[in-house]
Amino acid sequence: MNPCILEPLKERMHFDLIVIGMGLSGLMAAKTATEIGQKTLIIGKGMGSLCLFSNTIDVLGQLPNGIKMKDGLSHWIKDYPGHPYAKVGVEKIENALSSFLSLFPPPYPFQTIDHRNCLLPTGAGTFRPTYLIPITMVGGSLIKEGQTLFVGFKGFKDFYAQYVADQLKCRGVTLPLPNTSYEMTAIALSRLMEIKSFRENIGQEIKKHLRHETQVGFPAFLGLNHPIQVKENLEEMMGAQVFEIPILPPSIPGKRIFNRFKEWLIQKGVTFSLGSSVSKVITKGKRCEGIEVFHPPVTTSFFADRFILATGRFIGGGLRADREKVFEPICHLPVHQPRSREDWFEKNFFAGHSQPIHQAGILTDLSLRPVNERGDQILENVWISGTILANHHCIDEKSREGIEIATGYMAAKQASGIST
Amino acid sequence: MKMITEVLIIGGGATGVGIARDLSWRGIPSILIEKGDFASGASGRNHGLLHSGGRYAVTDPGAARECMAENRILRKIAPHCIEETDGLFVSLPEDGFDYRERFLRACDEVGIQTALLSRDETLELEPELDPNLLSAVKVPDGSIDPFVLILENARDAEEHGAKILLHTEMTSLILDGDKIKEVGAKDLGGGEEYTIKASYIVNATGAWANQFLKLAGLQIGMALSKGSMLITNQRLTHHVINRCRPPSDGDIVVPNHTVSILGTTSVRLEEVENFEVTPHEVSLLIQETSKLVPAIQEARLIRAYAGIRPLFQSETKEDDRAISRGFVLIDHGERDGIKNLITITGGKLVTYRLMAEKTSDLLCKKMGMHTPCSTHLKALPKANRPTGLTEKLKQFSFERVETLCDCELTSRKEVEEFLKTDKLKDLQDILHRTRLAKGSCQGGFCVYRLLGVLHDLRRINGNSNEFLKKFLEERWKGIRPILWGPAVKEEELMEGIYKGIFNL
């Protein structure tokens, strides 16, 4: 090929920063870097666990009841100096959360209940502690025995109103759905809920079933793009407060978060490449120079000065396990892990503590650059963020989104040369 | 409650229900009690192989003959429980031809039909086999669904007058001279206690035979052998694949519904409860079966499980009573002076009917009756129904059906049908009677959904999360040994849901 054509092409493919991974952490990193003025590419195979598990923003749900999050985090960092939060620090965690919040102005804001964890009902009729909650879920933190009517839909198999109602000593009602040629998934229903006539039929039907209840709990699919409109319209019709309950994946509230980031990033001129997975990282000595993306039969290369690896854990593809070990498939970074496969999992599923494999991950220095077990830096222009990091138990700690947001933010600041 | 019957059968495995059916057709009243659900022991924990007898042709021609004869009968009376896959005995380069020649001769002698296939012919039938194989011998093996087989036998027995009490444990046994006078039992669900008087008692408890006999102060020489198996998430071959060499660990791959089952190991155990599949067994099974089907190295496993074979150790003076090395029928009247007690144990799933026939014959002899067995002539109740898959696919392609289990296409309607007909004491029973929780996610989604449906229908209203946790804990036993590769993703998803979203 003529080098004159190749040259501008190469320039177009050159960025200040490439973020690998499009879960919450990658999105947060891309947002932070863009605000600093970095020319950024974000590239990802899928939406990470954002659209599976994230309904609200957990920061540290494991804290004892009633403790202010800031105080809880300070203690936590003292107790667990190897935890990702310890590398970010309380102040920057708060900055990161504020930055996240700034992306969600009304009508779909996130809020805390008095800067502490609050308890929200789940699709299993349990309560779950979490920190930042979208306005559509606030009502769930107020439920009282007998005061809430739970609504399910016959034909929607991922939520059962009576199951939840029986656990929470309330009433449940299961409404029929119109016959359609497609399956009634959460995605399909979230779209249908945005159609006025569909929604009004449901509202009128529920009104007939309401007795003394002052609240109505729905599975979390009240609209993908305009949840507030859906919520307020239903409330008006029924004369009761409406709230959403987190259910089995996929998560519609997670998809709302993803869509908002995507909209913002594209608007700010970030190069956004969804559906591509990085097949290879090009390194030279301790530097990463570029990445290759293989779309059979074409391989495309992208180059950058700095990189953030935010590829998640096993589901995201950031970590993989064969019969002997856990490994990191893209940059081939060393993975901190239990000694042998027999030590990965406890004999019980509910072992009373987290399964040992979940604290496996990438070790980093204080600036989130990858190191080996001895602490030697491996790559000097790569930063690690999100759940791929070692030494946390995000499922049991209930810290998934907090870790993603805080480390994504911090990695982008570090990679952009802003370390304070 | 007091109950009186002619024959009390203890144990709801294939043998127990087979006896109940056999007796019912001879017009002899019986009650069967089982402490769990049907097929809780070895009957439900095997590789679902409809033996042609080929595996025993060289080492035990008697057992091989029995298998072949029963194989033919089961194809007639239970076609809806069987897939006629045929089997291949594959010779690999390291196996040579010696065993194959002995195998062919032995099959010929016991009447097992064989066809010798060249390497190319074999690979055309089964492209996933190791291309270096030498040849294969085709035999009439098949795969069988033990649970459906047992349910069908039980249904038929009940239709003909037998009474079956599940989740009912034997609690006591009262001896009166040379006879067992009565047996005490307890319904583990409702708590009701029974006193059962029977003229004869059959111990069909399989690996638990000695636990039962202990109550009567007796013991037989029995060894417990654990066999472990692995399930892949898809069907790897069309035929049952055996290794053409003397029986050994990891020498069989059985296609079964949508999956393949890799088997087996043989490990002596001391006790009949609390056993698990060890990492060593998992590695051994993969290593050995992948010599036949190399794709097993990369296959995704969905579960590991084990069953216990009760192996009868012949007692010199009892040797003549061992009908074959396959199974053993003991008349405790002759052996120990307890006139109305019989133990039947050992054997193979495929010979369950024959075991039931011989037991019933002995009972008739003791009663002085001459009614002959007819179970080899009478088809099971639903034998003429077309087998499931075609019907099911039609249903799913023409109607919109609410599926509870996306892996195995189990619909809500199917569960609702079961709830109408069966009086269920335990939710686990529904899982046994449908394909729920048998696919790739092993119930990760559908058990929650099942509970949801039961709440919806007001069949339960209590704390279902305790059941959910118990189920997940039980599921873990089968999953933990095979967690690597894509299975770890699935595991992360499950923890993300149940410990994460649901905070259980």
Side-chain angles (χ1 to χ4, degrees):
Chain A
M1 205 187 274
N2 185 334
C4 299
I5 298 170
L6 200 65
E7 204 44 47
L9 185 72
K10 195 172 175 187
E11 201 150 292
R12 254 194 296 145
M13 296 298 193
H14 192 279
F15 297 87
D16 296 331
L17 176 70
I18 292 178
V19 179
I20 308 171
M22 219 178 261
L24 185 52
S25 187
L27 292 167
M28 194 63 203
K31 173 184 185 277
T32 309
T34 304
E35 282 171 334
I36 299 167
Q38 303 279 304
K39 183 187 172 194
T40 307
L41 163 70
I42 178 165
I43 186 160
K45 186 171 59 178
M47 299 173 268
S49 58
L50 188 50
C51 298
L52 294 175
F53 308 125
S54 299
N55 287 281
T56 59
I57 304 300
D58 290 351
V59 174
L60 198 52
Q62 195 186 301
L63 288 178
N65 277 344
I67 292 187
K68 291 252 183 198
M69 184 55 71
K70 192 175 182 178
D71 301 337
L73 281 171
S74 303
H75 283 119
W76 184 265
I77 286 170
K78 272 189 214 118
D79 291 346
Y80 302 99
H83 193 277
Y85 280 154
K87 289 176 181 155
V88 183
V90 177
E91 194 183 328
K92 265 186 268 174
I93 296 172
E94 292 202 312
N95 294 345
L97 292 172
S98 303
S99 169
F100 171 85
L101 287 171
S102 72
L103 206 54
F104 294 89
Y108 189 70
F110 282 76
Q111 64 178 74
T112 71
I113 309 286
D114 195 26
H115 303 284
R116 299 172 162 94
N117 281 320
C118 64
L119 291 171
L120 292 188
T122 75
T126 52
F127 283 99
R128 172 180 200 289
T130 186
Y131 190 56
L132 295 176
I133 55 180
I135 192 151
T136 54
M137 293 191 181
V138 172
S141 66
L142 307 168
I143 67 168
K144 288 191 193 79
E145 212 175 290
Q147 296 289 298
T148 304
L149 180 70
F150 291 94
V151 181
F153 298 89
K154 192 159 193 303
F156 176 63
K157 62 193 181 197
D158 290 337
F159 181 79
Y160 297 87
Q162 198 58 46
Y163 187 129
V164 177
D166 284 343
Q167 314 305 312
L168 298 176
K169 305 201 165 47
C170 289
R171 288 194 312 125
V173 55
T174 304
L175 302 179
L177 283 171
N179 267 323
T180 51
S181 57
Y182 50 87
E183 204 187 331
M184 283 295 181
T185 59
I187 297 273
L189 279 156
S190 71
R191 293 201 175 108
L192 285 170
M193 289 305 280
E194 287 180 338
I195 298 170
K196 199 161 180 255
S197 57
F198 180 88
R199 184 167 72 228
E200 283 180 350
N201 280 334
I202 285 174
Q204 276 155 13
E205 196 54 39
I206 296 171
K207 202 170 176 196
K208 291 183 210 158
H209 290 274
L210 274 175
R211 285 185 211 154
H212 317 290
E213 290 91 350
T214 54
Q215 286 190 311
V216 181
F218 283 87
F221 56 48
L222 297 182
L224 196 53
N225 300 311
H226 307 289
I228 299 314
Q229 207 177 314
V230 175
K231 176 182 181 286
E232 287 177 353
N233 186 203
L234 285 168
E235 286 176 337
E236 209 173 296
M237 287 172 62
M238 303 185 305
Q241 188 187 31
V242 165
F243 66 89
E244 290 188 306
I245 303 161
I247 58 172
L248 284 187
S251 162
I252 299 299
K255 184 108 172 75
R256 289 175 198 146
I257 296 173
F258 180 84
N259 286 353
R260 174 62 186 136
F261 269 99
K262 182 180 168 189
E263 174 193 57
W264 190 94
L265 290 170
I266 290 174
Q267 195 189 12
K268 298 285 171 187
V270 170
T271 307
F272 195 92
S273 172
L274 177 63
S276 319
S277 51
V278 173
S279 50
K280 194 178 155 190
V281 162
I282 306 157
T283 51
K284 194 173 175 188
K286 280 191 167 186
R287 288 189 67 80
C288 178
E289 306 216 301
I291 55 169
E292 282 183 5
V293 178
F294 182 51
H295 284 300
V298 183
T299 299
T300 318
S301 305
F302 300 96
F303 302 90
D305 298 332
R306 294 170 300 274
F307 296 81
I308 289 177
L309 187 72
T311 45
R313 299 187 68 76
F314 298 99
I315 292 176
L319 298 176
R320 277 195 216 160
D322 61 21
R323 261 183 273 162
E324 275 81 44
K325 63 190 180 308
V326 179
F327 60 99
E328 187 278 305
I330 298 175
C331 299
H332 310 289
L333 297 170
V335 177
H336 174 65
Q337 58 190 289
R339 199 164 298 151
S340 77
R341 182 157 68 83
E342 282 185 51
D343 305 323
W344 290 356
F345 297 100
E346 300 287 352
K347 291 221 164 173
N348 291 309
F349 183 70
F350 294 101
H353 53 87
S354 180
Q355 300 291 345
I357 197 173
H358 296 321
Q359 75 162 33
I362 310 297
L363 294 173
T364 68
D365 60 17
L366 289 172
S367 72
L368 297 180
R369 271 179 287 193
V371 297
N372 62 19
E373 296 282 349
R374 287 198 309 271
D376 309 330
Q377 198 179 75
I378 297 163
L379 292 166
E380 59 186 35
N381 65 336
V382 174
W383 287 262
I384 313 294
S385 79
T387 54
I388 192 175
L389 289 164
N391 294 324
H392 66 86
H393 296 279
C394 68
I395 298 175
D396 284 56
E397 289 164 11
K398 310 255 177 317
S399 59
R400 182 190 301 275
E401 293 81 14
I403 289 175
E404 289 173 326
I405 289 170
T407 59
Y409 174 86
M410 158 120 165
K413 292 262 177 188
Q414 292 284 349
S416 310
I418 299 171
S419 50
T420 49
Chain B
M1 193 164 113
K2 282 193 179 173
M3 290 192 278
I4 297 175
T5 187
E6 191 59 25
V7 181
L8 172 65
I9 304 158
I10 322 281
T15 315
V17 293
I19 295 167
R21 176 176 190 241
D22 194 309
L23 293 175
S24 75
W25 278 97
R26 299 192 206 212
I28 301 168
S30 69
I31 293 175
L32 183 151
I33 63 171
E34 159 60 49
K35 70 174 172 179
D37 191 8
F38 291 124
S40 298
S43 298
R45 294 178 154 267
N46 53 66
H47 42 39
L49 172 66
L50 180 75
H51 270 286
S52 61
R55 184 36 85 211
Y56 308 115
V58 173
T59 51
D60 188 350
R65 253 188 213 101
E66 280 170 8
C67 284
M68 191 59 238
E70 288 301 307
N71 177 314
R72 288 201 185 97
I73 292 169
L74 289 180
R75 281 170 201 256
K76 275 192 216 130
I77 67 165
H80 53 319
C81 307
I82 288 168
E83 254 190 280
E84 300 194 334
T85 60
D86 284 338
L88 299 175
F89 275 75
V90 177
S91 301
L92 296 180
E94 59 264 46
D95 301 330
F97 289 122
D98 285 358
Y99 187 80
R100 191 187 79 185
E101 295 318 308
R102 283 166 64 200
F103 178 76
L104 282 166
R105 262 200 315 277
C107 285
D108 201 35
E109 275 162 27
V110 297
I112 299 168
Q113 203 181 16
T114 57
L116 181 59
L117 305 177
S118 70
R119 173 182 169 275
D120 290 351
E121 287 167 335
T122 309
L123 289 172
E124 195 157 313
L125 285 178
E126 290 293 354
E128 286 294 340
L129 289 176
D130 179 2
N132 298 315
L133 65 91
L134 301 175
S135 68
V137 179
K138 193 168 162 181
V139 295
D141 280 344
S143 81
I144 186 162
D145 185 327
F147 203 81
V148 178
L149 180 73
I150 290 169
L151 275 185
E152 288 281 277
N153 270 278
R155 195 189 309 269
D156 199 33
E158 284 181 310
E159 275 170 21
H160 291 88
K163 189 170 172 63
I164 295 178
L165 301 170
L166 296 178
H167 305 289
T168 301
E169 190 175 29
M170 196 178 113
T171 48
S172 64
L173 184 152
I174 297 171
L175 277 169
D176 182 12
D178 57 359
K179 278 193 159 185
I180 293 174
K181 195 175 121 197
E182 59 179 48
V183 166
K186 187 179 176 183
D187 178 343
L188 296 175
E192 189 172 353
E193 307 214 352
Y194 304 107
T195 310
I196 307 170
K197 275 189 200 283
S199 309
Y200 298 93
I201 292 162
V202 178
N203 172 18
T205 54
W208 287 264
N210 270 329
Q211 287 196 359
F212 169 94
L213 291 173
K214 210 172 160 189
L215 291 171
L218 306 176
Q219 197 184 2
I220 55 171
M222 200 170 73
L224 302 174
S225 158
K226 177 182 68 166
S228 295
M229 285 146 280
L230 303 174
I231 308 180
T232 61
N233 76 331
Q234 53 178 314
R235 212 170 143 119
L236 299 169
T237 62
H238 307 298
H239 294 72
V240 175
I241 307 297
N242 297 273
R243 184 94 178 260
C244 196
R245 66 169 185 198
S248 179
D249 288 339
D251 60 3
I252 188 162
V253 179
V254 185
N256 191 305
H257 289 278
T258 54
V259 304
S260 283
I261 298 172
L262 319 179
T264 48
T265 57
S266 182
V267 182
R268 279 291 167 96
L269 289 188
E270 292 306 316
E271 56 167 335
V272 69
E273 321 270 354
N274 298 325
F275 52 89
E276 58 175 18
V277 180
T278 64
H280 170 73
E281 287 179 290
V282 173
S283 304
L284 183 68
L285 285 170
I286 292 174
Q287 181 197 313
E288 287 302 310
T289 54
S290 65
K291 288 179 184 162
L292 290 163
V293 183
I296 287 170
Q297 283 287 356
E298 304 302 321
R300 175 167 168 200
L301 301 175
I302 56 175
R303 192 158 78 94
Y305 66 108
I308 294 191
R309 314 174 184 97
L311 296 179
F312 183 69
Q313 292 172 320
S314 68
E315 307 159 29
T316 346
K317 65 171 181 133
E318 302 292 336
D319 230 11
D320 52 344
R321 294 201 182 99
I323 288 173
S324 89
R325 280 174 57 193
F327 63 89
V328 61
L329 177 63
I330 298 168
D331 179 347
H332 291 283
E334 288 184 19
R335 183 184 183 268
D336 310 294
I338 296 180
K339 284 186 175 163
N340 64 343
L341 177 62
I342 291 173
T343 291
I344 173 89
T345 187
K348 292 273 147 197
L349 179 66
V350 71
T351 57
Y352 87 95
R353 196 211 58 84
L354 181 67
M355 292 161 74
E357 177 182 335
K358 296 293 176 197
T359 309
S360 304
D361 283 350
L362 177 59
L363 285 164
C364 281
K365 197 178 126 199
K366 282 172 160 284
M367 294 170 193
M369 282 177 62
H370 299 286
T371 327
C373 173
S374 58
T375 54
H376 55 303
L377 305 171
K378 304 267 194 324
L380 288 166
K382 289 186 184 164
N384 290 322
R385 269 185 44 169
T387 41
L389 195 61
T390 320
E391 231 184 26
K392 203 170 247 186
L393 285 175
K394 263 191 212 156
Q395 191 191 1
F396 276 87
S397 46
F398 294 125
E399 307 164 29
R400 191 171 63 80
V401 175
E402 187 184 347
T403 49
L404 296 184
C405 168
D406 299 313
C407 312
E408 296 289 312
L409 295 183
T410 308
S411 67
R412 174 171 175 149
K413 217 165 105 189
E414 198 178 326
V415 171
E416 289 180 353
E417 289 298 314
F418 264 113
L419 292 171
K420 272 182 213 156
T421 54
D422 287 62
K423 35 183 193 320
L424 298 164
K425 291 183 184 170
D426 189 331
L427 291 178
Q428 200 76 39
D429 293 355
I430 304 174
L431 302 185
H432 282 161
R433 282 158 184 77
T434 61
R435 296 287 299 164
L436 284 177
K438 302 199 175 51
S440 303
C441 78
Q442 291 287 296
F445 286 88
C446 57
V447 172
Y448 165 70
R449 289 172 181 159
L450 171 65
L451 290 168
V453 168
L454 292 172
H455 275 277
D456 219 9
L457 299 171
R458 310 291 166 104
R459 294 295 291 254
I460 50 175
N461 56 18
N463 181 357
S464 288
N465 291 326
E466 282 313 308
F467 179 82
L468 199 53
K469 283 169 87 166
K470 215 173 89 191
F471 168 77
L472 290 166
E473 203 59 81
E474 194 57 36
R475 171 185 184 272
W476 187 246
K477 287 184 194 159
I479 302 238
R480 184 178 174 262
I482 50 98
L483 283 179
W484 67 83
V488 177
K489 284 191 192 187
E490 182 90 43
E491 202 283 323
E492 197 179 78
L493 180 64
M494 290 306 132
E495 279 202 62
I497 293 172
Y498 293 104
K499 296 183 183 173
I501 299 174
F502 288 171
N503 195 30
L504 289 180

